[in-house]
Amino acid sequence: MSVKGFAQAGHWPTLLSAFLYFDVSFMVWVLLGAVGVFIAQDFGLTASQKGFLVALPLLAGACLRLPMGIIADRFGPKRVGAIGLLLTTLPLLLGWLGAASPTGVYVIGLLLGVAGASFAVALPLASRWYPPEYQGLVMGIAGAGNSGTVIAALAAPRLADWFGWREVFGLALIPILAALGVFLLFAKDSPTRPAPQRLSAYLTVLKERDLWRFNFFYMITFGGFVGLASFLAIFLHDEYGVSRIAAGNLTALCVCAGSFMRPLGGHLADRMGGVYLLLLLFWVISLFLFVISQLPDLPVATFFLCLNMALLGMGNGAVFQLVPQRFHAQLGAATGLVGATGGLGGFLLPSLLGVCKDFFGSYSAGFLIFALLALTACWLLLTLQHEWRENWTDQGGHPLLAGAEK
């Protein structure tokens, strides 16, 4: 890949704006998880309630991603992204001024879903500026905005310790408004953006079997990443007895590995093929999850959690190297739905871990179930790779799959 060719191929201010928009939105989306230990201690929550608390924004974001993707296709991702940033200020204001009970925090969690839906806007905004040979890298760079989780994990516990967890929501308004200014100034809709279609035309994508396969794969990679990112501080505090600040630091370390490996996953998928890379990743992820399920000593657990998050981040990049190749005219809707199921996976994982802790007295069973799901994804890819190699062609009949899948 030529760096000069990449720089000349698209519109880097839009790519940067998409990254920043996604980054601060992701930071806010997981904010409840970052201060979850403080909230749980204030309200005396059980393990299941803790899991539900940090999972609620993930569920709301999952539900909003498909409609946000369709709206972005119809009205343009820049306009929809700006509105999304404005709407994100509402739950932050409520969290700052009005979070007086668990029910109030649950409502704030639901409203934070608007920030999670930014995925369905940021990725199509960046993707449509670049040709197919750069899709893995572009989607990886834009998607690396999930590094906002690192900011939340590092900064939020410290700020909560200094000022109180409610004030963290007020302080989060500053980066959101700054990102809105950058977005309005520098982001542009691509001139190759497909013309708006009727709603029924966008929904035809739901009939595509490949889309539901991508949904399952992304539930594992992104659902695993964001679910663990939201729950790790609680897991490390409850299971290993580390302090609230130390739990945030270890969470940030693990999340950082996953966030910044996403562009590498997209780039490697461009070079060696997304299917081949995902096969390898799912196999190793299942092995690492098995090790984590044995609840080893803290240094060992942290090591394998970091490695596992890095592989999940690469998997996110690999999945979204494949999605634009398979869907183009309906990319916003496809991105929205795949992103929605990824968010749903993120909701299910903390809930699963919390329930397993309350029911079995241990988090081990939850990690074992996750490992089995990753192994199932590996098997499914093995059965699909030949079908995809033969059937994925462009309008001229040329194969679309790149690298090792040719």
Side-chain angles (χ1 to χ4, degrees):
M1 184 194 75
S2 166
V3 175
K4 182 179 180 181
F6 174 71
Q8 295 176 344
H11 189 253
W12 69 263
T14 296
L15 179 58
L16 177 62
S17 299
F19 165 81
L20 184 61
Y21 164 46
F22 191 32
D23 193 58
V24 298
S25 296
F26 211 98
M27 176 195 72
V28 168
W29 192 32
V30 300
L31 204 53
L32 278 182
V35 296
V37 175
F38 294 85
I39 297 172
Q41 289 180 344
D42 266 10
F43 296 127
L45 304 181
T46 67
S48 297
Q49 289 173 322
K50 294 174 190 176
F52 185 65
L53 172 74
V54 303
L56 260 181
L58 309 182
L59 176 63
C63 294
L64 288 173
R65 281 185 173 191
L66 178 58
M68 283 278 279
I70 293 174
I71 293 169
D73 275 345
R74 285 187 61 84
F75 300 106
K78 177 174 181 176
R79 183 182 304 173
V80 175
I83 294 172
L85 284 167
L86 281 173
L87 291 175
T88 301
T89 62
L90 177 59
L92 294 179
L93 286 169
L94 290 175
W96 180 24
L97 303 174
S101 68
T103 301
V105 178
Y106 291 152
V107 171
I108 291 164
L110 288 173
L111 294 175
L112 285 173
V114 174
S118 61
F119 180 93
V121 179
L123 268 65
L125 175 67
S127 172
R128 289 200 171 106
W129 277 101
Y130 291 85
E133 60 266 27
Y134 298 121
Q135 283 301 308
L137 181 59
V138 169
M139 297 292 259
I141 292 172
N146 57 29
S147 60
T149 313
V150 181
I151 302 171
L154 279 176
R158 286 172 169 79
L159 293 173
D161 200 42
W162 295 337
F163 304 112
W165 60 264
R166 292 175 181 83
E167 282 67 25
V168 175
F169 289 89
L171 292 169
L173 287 164
I174 299 171
I176 286 291
L177 294 174
L180 175 61
V182 172
F183 195 79
L184 290 173
L185 285 173
F186 297 108
K188 291 184 179 180
D189 288 329
S190 170
T192 63
R193 182 170 66 92
Q197 305 177 43
R198 291 186 301 176
L199 178 61
S200 58
Y202 292 113
L203 295 181
T204 58
V205 74
L206 299 177
K207 301 177 182 178
E208 298 285 348
R209 288 185 300 172
D210 284 342
L211 185 68
W212 295 100
R213 293 159 176 167
F214 287 141
N215 289 345
F216 177 62
F217 299 146
Y218 207 59
M219 282 186 74
I220 304 298
T221 61
F222 183 77
F225 172 83
V226 73
L228 286 176
S230 298
F231 197 71
L232 268 183
I234 291 173
F235 167 69
L236 293 169
H237 181 269
D238 290 354
E239 184 65 32
Y240 294 100
V242 299
S243 70
R244 298 179 296 187
I245 302 299
N249 290 342
L250 292 175
T251 298
L253 177 66
C254 295
V255 171
C256 186
S259 298
F260 293 105
M261 291 299 282
R262 181 168 184 152
L264 177 61
H267 178 59
L268 289 177
D270 284 337
R271 299 294 297 273
M272 63 191 294
V275 172
Y276 182 80
L277 180 60
L278 278 174
L279 272 171
L280 179 63
L281 290 173
F282 280 135
W283 171 246
V284 181
I285 285 168
S286 66
L287 291 178
F288 286 176
L289 284 170
F290 176 77
V291 174
I292 296 167
S293 74
Q294 304 309 298
L295 303 177
D297 292 340
L298 180 61
V300 177
T302 303
F303 176 73
F304 278 98
L305 282 167
C306 282
L307 288 180
N308 196 58
M309 291 289 272
L311 296 182
L312 290 169
M314 291 178 67
N316 292 335
V319 171
F320 269 92
Q321 186 263 355
L322 293 170
V323 171
Q325 296 185 65
R326 180 64 177 82
F327 303 97
H328 179 69
Q330 300 161 313
L331 183 58
T335 300
L337 186 59
V338 174
T341 52
L344 178 61
F347 165 76
L348 293 174
L349 182 58
S351 301
L352 171 68
L353 291 170
V355 168
C356 285
K357 175 66 173 177
D358 279 343
F359 191 78
F360 297 108
S362 169
Y363 290 112
S364 181
F367 284 108
L368 276 175
I369 293 171
F370 190 17
L372 289 174
L373 289 171
L375 204 57
T376 302
C378 186
W379 169 81
L380 181 58
L381 266 174
L382 280 172
T383 66
L384 288 173
Q385 58 179 333
H386 299 296
E387 174 190 334
W388 283 357
R389 186 184 299 119
E390 294 174 0
N391 295 339
W392 285 23
T393 59
D394 60 20
Q395 293 180 348
H398 302 104
L400 282 173
L401 285 178
E405 289 125 11
K406 285 185 179 178

